[in-house]
Amino acid sequence: GISNQRVLGAFARVPRHLFVSPELREQAYDDNPLPIASNQTISQPYIVALMTECLKLEGQETVLEVGTGSGYQTAILAELAGHVYTIERFTNLSETAQGLLESLGYTNISFRVGDGSKGWPEAAPFEGILIAAAARRVPPALTDQLSTGGRLVIPVGDSWQQELLVISKDREG
């Protein structure tokens, strides 16, 4: 169901198997989430693609990603946007992802360890904001940091039921 050729091209270029542990590499391209460090997961490829496609990136945008995780989604975004700011709450995940992404040659990514619900105010506004993990509600700081015409993509709900929201911001808010 993914039709954006730029998104599909990014998926062809990013080696997903490098973002999972060696013992899971045979499953890296299966369409399901896989465990990573700190009791977290790398999202299934379809969800990564769907959320990315919802941003409607054209190539020069500044994007905020909340939840760096393994860095896989970060790499996909870096293929499609001008610059990616990514926030991870776990230091070990952020450092590992940063090392891998730098070794793969990405130079358009800035990293931060912290509370992603607060966003990255000094780098705002963002044309796109992607939140990797479900939240009970949309953090107001993130909608405040969204530019006019920008899109915020976030799964909202609890561990039992979630809905993927795409929020656009116009001149009225």
Side-chain angles (χ1 to χ4, degrees):
I2 305 301
S3 60
N4 183 300
Q5 292 301 308
R6 292 187 71 242
V7 172
L8 293 171
F11 270 75
R13 291 186 298 275
V14 176
R16 189 170 193 259
H17 65 278
L18 297 181
F19 294 86
V20 300
S21 61
E23 61 271 10
L24 295 174
R25 288 204 172 144
E26 285 185 17
Q27 301 172 54
Y29 296 96
D30 295 349
D31 193 29
N32 56 329
L34 295 171
I36 59 172
S38 297
N39 230 8
Q40 302 298 299
T41 60
I42 179 175
S43 297
Q44 73 184 85
Y46 173 73
I47 294 299
V48 172
L50 176 63
M51 292 177 75
T52 302
E53 187 173 62
C54 287
L55 288 175
K56 297 187 178 181
L57 299 174
E58 295 179 4
Q60 297 305 313
E61 297 87 355
T62 300
V63 174
L64 174 65
E65 176 194 32
V66 177
T68 311
S70 69
Y72 179 67
Q73 173 82 70
T74 316
I76 296 291
L77 292 171
E79 290 280 335
L80 300 169
H83 196 87
V84 178
Y85 291 84
T86 185
I87 304 171
E88 173 55 55
R89 64 183 171 144
F90 295 107
T91 303
N92 63 319
L93 289 178
S94 182
E95 289 174 351
T96 300
Q98 184 173 358
L100 176 57
L101 291 163
E102 287 175 355
S103 76
L104 292 173
Y106 291 100
T107 59
N108 62 335
I109 305 169
S110 297
F111 299 85
R112 174 176 281 178
V113 174
D115 180 353
S117 69
K118 296 177 182 176
W120 201 317
E122 62 274 20
F126 300 100
E127 288 85 16
I129 299 176
L130 188 146
I131 294 86
R136 294 195 186 282
R137 61 183 170 77
V138 179
L142 297 182
T143 56
D144 290 346
Q145 292 175 39
L146 190 62
S147 69
T148 300
R151 296 173 159 286
L152 184 150
V153 179
I154 181 173
V156 174
D158 55 34
S159 58
W160 301 104
Q161 187 173 4
Q162 297 174 12
E163 181 178 18
L164 185 62
L165 301 182
V166 180
I167 298 167
S168 302
K169 189 171 192 178
D170 61 21
R171 289 187 180 111
E172 286 79 45

